[in-house]
Structures are given as C-alpha cells and as structure tokens.
Amino acid sequence: MEWFAYGLLALIGLLMSASAVYAFFWAQKTGEFRDLDQQARSIFDETEPEGVVTDRFPGRATRASARPQHAAAASKHS
Amino acid sequence: MSAPSTPSHPAGKASTHQLEQAAASDASITAIHQTLLREKPEPTEGFSPIPIFLLFVFSALIFVGGVYIAHYAGDFEPMAFDPSRGKQVASAEPAKPVDPMVLGGRLFNQNCAACHQVTGQGVPGSFPPLAGSEWVMGSEERLVRILLHGLSGPIEVEGKTYNGAMPAFGPKSGYRFNEQKIAAVLTYVRNSWGNTAPAVTPEKVKEIMAAVGDRPGPWTAAELDPFK
Amino acid sequence: MSSAPSLAAAIDPRTKMPQERAELHQIDESTRVLALIFLGTSAVWLLVGTIFALIASWKLHNPEFLSTQEWLTFGRVRTAHLNTVIYGWATNAGIGVSFWLMARLSRTLLRHAGILYVSGAAWNLAVIVGTFGILRGDGQPVEWLEFPRYVTPLLFVSYALIGVWGIITFRFRRGEHTYVSQWYLLAALFWFPWLYSIAQIMLVFAPTVGVIQALTNWWFAHNVLGLWFTPIGIAASYYFIPKVLGKPIHSYHLSVVGFWALAFFYNWAGVHHLIGGPIPVWVQSAGIVASLMMVIPVIVTAINHHLTVIGSFQQVWNSPTLRFIVFGAMNYTLASLLGSAMALRSVNSVTHFTHFTVGHAHHGMYSFFTMVMFGSIYYMLPRLLRKEWPSAFLINVHFWGTAAGITLYVVALSIGGWIQGMQMNDVKNYPDFLQIMVATKPWLFARTIAGLMIAVGHIAFVVSFVWILIKKRTVEETSPTLFNTPPTLSLKTS
C-alpha cells in the first residue's frame, strides 16, 4: 500500500514536470516567444487603447493626471 | 504577426491607396515605401534581450548556488544532517572537550530554572534554594541520586522545610540525561551563586548509576540519609 | 454573440475554437455574476478573518483575554484566522480576479458559468464548515491544512472544477497571443490542485512517516503562497499596471524569463522552513539555493513593474487601482528579497521560530497579494456593475489604513522578532524564557495597533463594496465604455 502511494505520487510528480516541459515547447512552437515587444501591446485595443489612462478616483476626472503637472496644480481644486 | 492584422495599418485601405499611387509614380519606390511603412513599429521596439549586467548578476547567482550546494551537501548522504559534514573529514581535528560549566549552565537554564530560578534561590515555600544548600555542596553520592531518580516528601534545606516533588532526570526518565549531562549540571550548581564544591565527574555518576540500578519511584529524604 | 459551443465540444481536445473576438464590455458582462459571487464572499471572509486576527493578536500580549472560552482559545482563533484569510478571503478574491482576467485576456466570453456558481457555493460552504470545525476543536494538526478532514474532499472537488474551468476558458481564446498574465494564471490553476491533493494524501489520508510529513507540510504551505497566490498577484500586476497607465510593460522579454524562472525554482524553496531540522542536509541546501535563485524572477519582475511605473507617479496617485497595486508590487520585491536572505543559514538561525517569520508571512500575503487584490477589485467592480465608486474618501481611508497598518505591522514584528532571535541565541547570558517574552511585548502591542488600523481600512472597503452594489446607476454611467475614453482624459498632450 505504501509503495503504491509513493509510486502514484512519483507518477503525478513526473506528469507535472512533463507538463511544464510540454508547455515550454508548445510555447516555442506556437511563436509565443517571438515578436515579444509587439505582444506586450496585446492588452490594448480600440476600446481601451494604448496611451489612455483607464482608472481614476471617482469625481476627479477634470483633474486628470494626463494633463501636465503644473497645469493641474494651477487649475482650481474642485 | 503579419502586417495586415496590425490594427494601426488597416490593410485593405492602405493597399488600395498604395495601388492608386503606384499607377502615378515609380512602382518599385512605392513597394519599398510600403514595406517601410509596414515595418515601422518593429525596428524601434525590436527585440530587447536581457540587459548584460543582469546576465552577469544571474550567472554569478547560479555560480554561488552551485558552489553552495557542492559545499553543504553532506555528500548527498541521506543520513547526514550537519552542514559542516564532509569538511572535517580531512582535518580530523580532535573534538574539543566540553566545558562542564558551559554545558551545565545551559542545561540548568533550560531544565531547572523554571523551579529553582536562574538565581538558584528557589521559591520560598515551594522550591528549595540551591544556592548555599547543604544538599548541593554536600556528598555527591546523595546529590547524584536525587538527580537520577527525583526526590519527594518533606525535606529540610537551609533550616526551612519543603514538601514537594523534584522530577527525575536520569537516563530512564523523561529527560534522559546521560552521565555527562548530569555531571555537568551538578558541577554547575556546585560552583555558581557563591557555591564552591568539587566538580562531579561523569565516571563517578556512572559508578553511582550502576550501584543504584533500576528504581521505581523517587527517593525520600530518609532513604538518602545513609549517603550523607 | 454566437451560441456557446457545447460542453462536450469544449472539453474535446480536437475541437477548434472558431470564435470572433468579443468586446471587452461583453466579456465583463459575462463574468459579472461569477466575479460578484467570489469577490462578495471574499469581502465577507476578509471581515471575519480580521476579527479572528484581532482576537488572536490581543491574546498575545494579554493572554487572559477570552481564555476561558474554549472555542476562542489562542490555538483555535489563530488557526481560524489563518484558514479564513487564506481559503476564504485570498482564494475567493484570487479566483474572482483570475476569471475576469482570463476571460478578458483570452478575448472570449465566460462559458457555462453555471457550474462555477455551484462550485463557488460549495467552496464557501466548505470554508464555513471547516472554520466551524476548527473552532470546535476538530482541526488537523498540520499548518495551513487545519481544516478538518470532513471538508477537504469538498474543497478539493469544488476547486478542481474551478481550475478546469479556467483552463477551458483559456481554450476558447481568440488566437493571437498568450499574454504573460495568462501564463501565470494558467500555471496557478494547474498547480493548486496538485499541491492540495498531494498534501492531503501524504499528510491526512495516507500519512507518511516521520520527517517526510514535515517536508510535505512545508512544501505545501510555502507553495500555496509561491505557486498559487504569487502567480495570481503577479498576473494581476502585469495586467493592471500597463493597462491603467496605457503603456506597455517595460520589457516583455524579461517577463517571460521571469515566469519560467519562477516555475523552475519556487517548488524547492519551501524546505527553508526546516533548516537545522533532522532532514538530509542536501535537501536543506537545495532549498536554500532555490530560495536564493528566486532572486532571478524577482529582479526581473521588479524591473518590469517598477520601470513601467517610473515617470508616471502622478497617474499612479490618481488611480485607486494603481495605488494599491504599485504598493503591492513594491512589497513583492522587498518581501521576496528579504525572504531569500532569510533562507541563508546564518540569518535563519536568528529569525527562525521568532515573530520575524510571522512578519515576513504577512509581508508576502498582505503587503503584496492582498493589496494587489484590492487594487484589482477597484478596477473590476465599476466595469462589472457599470457604476462609479461612490466615495473617494472611503477609498482613501482604505488605502491609508491598510498601507500604514501593514507597514507598521511588518516593521514592528521584524524588529521585535530579530531581538527575540538574538536573545534566544544568546549563549553567554542565557536570558530565560520569561525575559524574552517580556521583551517582545511592546512589539506585539504595536502589532495589535497595526491590526486595528488595517481593520478600519477593511471596514471602509466593505462599506464601499456594499454601497456600489446597492447604489443607483446615474445617467452618464450607462455607457459601457464610460471608463475607457473619458473625454478629459486623453494622454496625447503633445
């Protein structure tokens, strides 16, 4: 019984390692490691494009960070 | 990633536009132009490899890691638990003799101080003092016996009567002190807090252990009288 | 949208997935119920865990507090705290965030989510029963696995379903590219069931003998942090930092290196909890070296997180999400480097068995992971509910309460723990046990103060959470892209 348990555990361990190796080669094959800097942009699209800040404190829209700092400081505090 | 799918260059529009131009100007220039246009984002961003200094840091780390394992692996022995194993084999230094006062001090603080206190003064009414005690500085025959099997029932120490239970520390007890530990802790109590008495040797302890043999329970003061 | 492929087709590896790319707001909508279930329950568990934490912390400097209540003795309350925050708060929040991220990054709607609702309910039921069991005195004597054995199968099954569903969601992805966050999430979804099942078998159902138990225990406990929570936290940071700032991460190349380095090294590191123990010395040394090697993925992640943020601090400040996440990312770097140092034998001989270790555990679990989860929730909820957060004030209270609180916590326990360790190792003066205890007391008291600050933050958070759920949607808030391109928010300022 004990040896059966150890064998099973070893098998699962092997499978885990094998899956990691497989994932690595799969990624290699499907081009996941190519063209990396372009891939970094894959999180942006037309509705949430690059160059646009997408989060802010509620009610702070007009004091947007995007404006140059001195301009933001000079504008009235709402 | 192929050019037509890059969102910034809608393929359809661009190419018809280019085609119209091609009719009016030099076709080969347009072709080059178009290629340039298409590749524009890539050369600037390009492929950024790991910065060289990081490579150095990582290699150094891996090197140190390798050396560390080689050094502290205990020959990959399943039974080796000590990181310095394997290094001492060559030098074969003789083991340093243990200073009984140091070992005894540690044993005392860990095992006796809870009752007799670090100062050896005991707790009035419950735990007798060891400092100045005639039991401590008296005969070692009696003292070793107390430690081996414990002591209970009324006793008198420095003129006051106590009636408690002192646990056994011998090899058969829960504490499993061997003769070296017993000798060390007794040497320590006999020479601390102003006490002065000759050291107890492990040989003597062993002798007494052999003489007493097994004993079911703790001693009483009366039983120890003959060993005064 | 096109009708969802059938369940059978989804599991069949031969199915190709012809999907058009879903719009982000559609995706958000498809994950709404699921995310709300997991995030809502996580918020409740957060409060419950905080209460247990405060009781336990108070007991450490005033041991007589509630000491006559059998159900609330230290051994049970502390354990209940650990398990509610790990399995109740952190795991629920992690799952909610993971699914939302996974669906968004895969550009696909979440399919057949019904089964996830069931497993989410089962998971939470198991945590409730388990916590109750611990308080009753049924706990298992294994750290991080204290839930009584009558709930663990339920936990495992419901989790396995969740994990499989994450992977199926990934299978529906719309081509293109697997973003680095997806790698981390996929790996985490894979690793957790592995860790949990092996630990359950080897420790509870067919217990191994002797020190192998200790080894398995720490392999599990450390890897829950390293291979389950950490990947989720990093995945979220890798998504939200560039997303909110609107600029890609500093070096995508490095992020890939970081992922594989983590996958390769972390698994070994747990042994550093047993340095000096009676386990073969080569295993300990391997654990130490693996902990040292963790510096590689950590530096890589640090470079990416911090260099992306540099130059945009104003934006970080103006975004609730990024305040929390950048705080978390900074502490990930710090906690991990400290952790590697703590694995060295010389340092470990001081910090082991002291409050230093406790401080370090909270540095990782709270300053890093929990803060990242808070940040993620601040981004997700408005999109899921299409409403603004009701109060900037509450968010500020939440941020300052938790950030200042946890920093005080970690600093106090690190100093107190170090002093404690030095005293325990002081072979010249042999300070006795009581002296050492008394010396730690002021630091433990500071810990309770820190806990109270954190609790205030949590209350502000939960109030915000409930408020945004029940408040009415205003007219301007109905557009799904409200948050995407607010007219005043263009970055193109020449």
Side-chain angles (χ1 to χ4, degrees):
Chain A
M1 176 59 208
E2 210 163 87
W3 287 111
F4 173 74
Y6 288 146
L8 188 74
L9 295 170
L11 194 72
I12 300 176
L14 275 180
L15 280 179
M16 286 308 291
S17 329
S19 70
V21 174
Y22 174 81
F24 187 83
F25 283 104
W26 174 84
Q28 182 79 32
K29 202 181 74 193
T30 51
E32 298 290 345
F33 299 146
R34 245 177 284 137
D35 213 0
L36 288 173
D37 286 312
Q38 200 52 43
Q39 315 281 33
R41 300 201 158 74
S42 61
I43 56 169
F44 302 112
D45 73 350
E46 312 80 55
T47 47
E48 295 183 354
E50 196 180 334
V52 171
V53 176
T54 54
D55 188 55
R56 61 183 191 279
F57 267 87
R60 265 203 207 166
T62 49
R63 284 192 7 194
S65 50
R67 283 209 246 148
Q69 240 164 292
H70 53 273
S75 73
K76 40 101 215 182
H77 287 264
S78 43
Chain B
M1 191 178 261
S2 65
S5 67
T6 340
S8 50
H9 301 283
K13 263 189 256 166
S15 52
T16 44
H17 181 66
Q18 300 293 340
L19 275 175
E20 279 163 14
Q21 270 199 346
S25 63
D26 185 16
S28 62
I29 288 178
T30 317
I32 291 168
H33 190 69
Q34 190 182 4
T35 328
L36 280 178
L37 249 183
R38 188 193 324 136
E39 306 231 314
K40 200 172 153 198
E42 313 215 341
T44 43
E45 322 296 330
F47 176 83
S48 53
I50 306 185
I52 196 87
F53 95 93
L54 269 190
L55 274 183
F56 276 122
V57 173
F58 294 168
S59 320
L61 262 176
I62 290 171
F63 180 74
V64 171
V67 171
Y68 191 94
I69 290 219
H71 223 246
Y72 292 116
D75 301 331
F76 292 94
E77 273 282 331
M79 297 306 283
F81 305 130
D82 179 4
S84 50
R85 190 199 127 97
K87 288 193 295 183
Q88 275 165 10
V89 178
S91 64
E93 246 175 59
K96 267 195 228 144
V98 184
D99 178 355
M101 285 300 280
V102 172
L103 176 62
R106 187 159 78 218
L107 290 171
F108 182 84
N109 280 307
Q110 286 168 355
N111 299 289
C112 324
C115 299
H116 295 288
Q117 306 303 308
V118 197
T119 52
Q121 298 300 333
V123 175
S126 337
F127 302 116
L130 301 183
S133 156
E134 64 274 21
W135 294 75
V136 170
M137 285 182 286
S139 120
E140 48 184 25
E141 289 276 343
R142 189 172 64 173
L143 189 56
V144 170
R145 279 180 168 78
I146 294 180
L147 224 65
L148 279 175
H149 293 286
L151 178 68
S152 74
I155 66 161
E156 205 184 294
V157 185
E158 294 175 35
K160 298 201 183 73
T161 313
Y162 297 84
N163 190 355
M166 151 88 191
F169 285 85
K172 302 256 169 62
S173 73
Y175 289 92
R176 294 175 184 275
F177 277 19
N178 58 15
E179 65 272 8
Q180 200 195 10
K181 285 185 174 178
I182 291 180
V185 76
L186 290 181
T187 303
Y188 176 80
V189 296
R190 277 158 80 97
N191 292 286
S192 305
W193 321 296
N195 287 0
T196 41
V200 179
T201 61
E203 289 73 36
K204 181 75 192 171
V205 176
K206 202 152 188 192
E207 208 181 295
I208 299 174
M209 273 188 201
V212 181
D214 279 343
R215 227 197 106 84
W219 302 96
T220 58
E223 277 178 304
L224 285 174
D225 264 353
F227 302 103
K228 242 174 185 167
Chain C
M1 283 315 310
S2 64
S3 66
S6 77
L7 241 163
I11 303 170
D12 187 346
R14 287 162 306 179
T15 323
K16 289 271 171 292
M17 296 294 161
Q19 291 296 314
E20 69 267 36
R21 199 159 119 158
E23 290 296 331
L24 286 180
H25 67 94
Q26 292 171 319
I27 298 174
D28 289 351
E29 209 165 290
S30 76
T31 57
R32 178 184 302 150
V33 180
L34 174 91
L36 286 181
I37 291 178
F38 280 102
L39 297 183
T41 47
S42 78
V44 175
W45 283 117
L46 181 69
L47 279 192
V48 175
T50 312
I51 293 169
F52 285 137
L54 288 176
I55 298 176
S57 182
W58 194 267
K59 278 166 177 283
L60 275 176
H61 46 80
N62 286 62
E64 67 286 347
F65 176 63
L66 290 179
S67 59
T68 50
Q69 248 66 34
E70 186 189 337
W71 284 47
L72 295 177
T73 43
F74 181 78
R76 298 189 190 175
V77 176
R78 181 203 164 270
T79 310
H81 161 66
L82 175 80
N83 285 274
T84 44
V85 293
I86 293 300
Y87 299 102
W89 151 249
T91 300
N92 271 319
I95 293 173
V97 171
S98 299
F99 269 90
W100 183 81
L101 274 180
M102 190 53 123
R104 263 194 163 216
L105 287 167
S106 305
R107 283 315 196 128
T108 178
L109 303 183
L110 189 67
R111 322 251 164 206
H112 308 289
I115 199 150
L116 285 174
Y117 307 157
V118 176
S119 45
W123 175 271
N124 280 293
L125 181 74
V127 179
I128 294 173
V129 176
T131 308
F132 193 72
I134 289 175
L135 291 177
R136 243 187 97 204
D138 289 348
Q140 298 280 343
V142 186
E143 226 178 323
W144 287 63
L145 286 172
E146 286 101 341
F147 277 149
R149 59 195 294 171
Y150 46 74
V151 297
T152 51
L154 182 58
L155 279 175
F156 178 71
V157 172
S158 53
Y159 182 81
L161 272 178
I162 294 169
V164 167
W165 236 251
I167 292 162
I168 287 183
T169 309
F170 176 70
R171 233 174 99 50
F172 281 115
R173 75 194 177 283
R174 157 87 180 36
E176 288 197 32
H177 177 63
T178 315
Y179 187 65
V180 58
S181 297
Q182 277 169 300
W183 276 107
Y184 278 110
L185 291 178
L186 268 182
L189 291 169
F190 245 113
W191 286 331
F192 186 71
W194 172 52
L195 296 173
Y196 197 73
S197 57
I198 300 247
Q200 283 294 332
I201 294 173
M202 289 182 68
L203 293 172
V204 180
F205 290 98
T208 49
V209 266
V211 292
I212 300 182
Q213 282 200 4
L215 264 176
T216 317
N217 188 188
W218 284 110
W219 169 80
F220 170 78
H222 198 79
N223 282 348
V224 171
L225 184 65
L227 296 180
W228 168 236
F229 294 123
T230 301
I232 295 181
I234 299 184
S237 331
Y238 265 131
Y239 183 73
F240 287 112
I241 292 178
K243 186 73 178 179
V244 174
L245 290 180
K247 65 180 185 195
I249 53 169
H250 177 75
S251 161
Y252 194 75
H253 183 85
L254 278 182
S255 72
V256 177
V257 176
F259 171 77
W260 289 100
L262 179 110
F264 194 73
F265 292 125
Y266 217 132
N267 193 24
W268 278 92
V271 195
H272 65 214
H273 284 269
L274 297 167
I275 295 170
I279 51 168
V281 71
W282 74 268
V283 181
Q284 300 175 31
S285 294
I288 294 173
V289 169
S291 313
L292 206 62
M293 288 303 135
M294 278 305 294
V295 168
I296 296 179
V298 168
I299 289 190
V300 159
T301 313
I303 288 184
N304 258 330
H305 289 166
H306 307 324
L307 292 192
T308 308
V309 165
I310 269 183
S312 309
F313 282 113
Q314 190 67 39
Q315 280 96 323
V316 171
W317 202 242
N318 282 336
S319 150
T321 302
L322 279 197
R323 265 200 212 180
F324 282 96
I325 289 192
V326 170
F327 182 91
M330 276 162 30
N331 280 293
Y332 174 68
T333 313
L334 262 179
S336 307
L337 293 181
L338 266 176
S340 295
M342 280 166 73
L344 299 175
R345 281 195 166 90
S346 48
V347 184
N348 192 272
S349 64
V350 178
T351 60
H352 204 176
F353 299 128
T354 70
H355 294 296
F356 196 99
T357 311
V358 180
H360 176 69
H362 285 79
H363 204 181
M365 259 324 279
Y366 198 101
S367 303
F368 161 54
F369 182 77
T370 294
M371 293 304 258
V372 169
M373 286 302 109
F374 286 146
S376 313
I377 292 173
Y378 278 117
Y379 195 84
M380 286 167 65
L381 274 197
R383 284 162 180 77
L384 293 172
L385 300 168
R386 287 207 243 120
K387 297 180 210 168
E388 280 270 20
W389 283 104
S391 155
F393 171 75
L394 283 178
I395 301 179
N396 267 316
V397 172
H398 179 201
F399 178 75
W400 288 112
T402 51
I406 195 63
T407 307
L408 172 63
Y409 185 110
V410 173
V411 170
L413 284 197
S414 299
I415 300 177
W418 191 268
I419 295 175
Q420 187 191 11
M422 294 305 267
Q423 285 182 331
M424 291 201 301
N425 289 355
D426 185 354
V427 285
K428 292 249 170 54
N429 303 314
Y430 302 114
D432 63 76
F433 182 66
L434 211 67
Q435 264 172 297
I436 302 179
M437 286 276 284
V438 170
T440 58
K441 220 176 139 176
W443 307 103
L444 294 176
F445 195 72
R447 188 240 290 269
T448 300
I449 304 285
L452 286 171
M453 289 159 72
I454 294 174
V456 170
H458 287 171
I459 291 171
F461 170 64
V462 173
V463 171
S464 276
F465 197 112
V466 174
W467 194 350
I468 193 178
L469 278 182
I470 56 178
K471 87 165 193 172
K472 281 228 177 58
R473 191 174 294 149
T474 57
V475 194
E476 319 88 77
E477 286 173 337
T478 46
S479 147
T481 50
L482 165 77
F483 303 92
N484 305 330
T485 48
T488 49
L489 262 182
S490 170
L491 195 72
K492 305 258 158 57
T493 51
S494 82

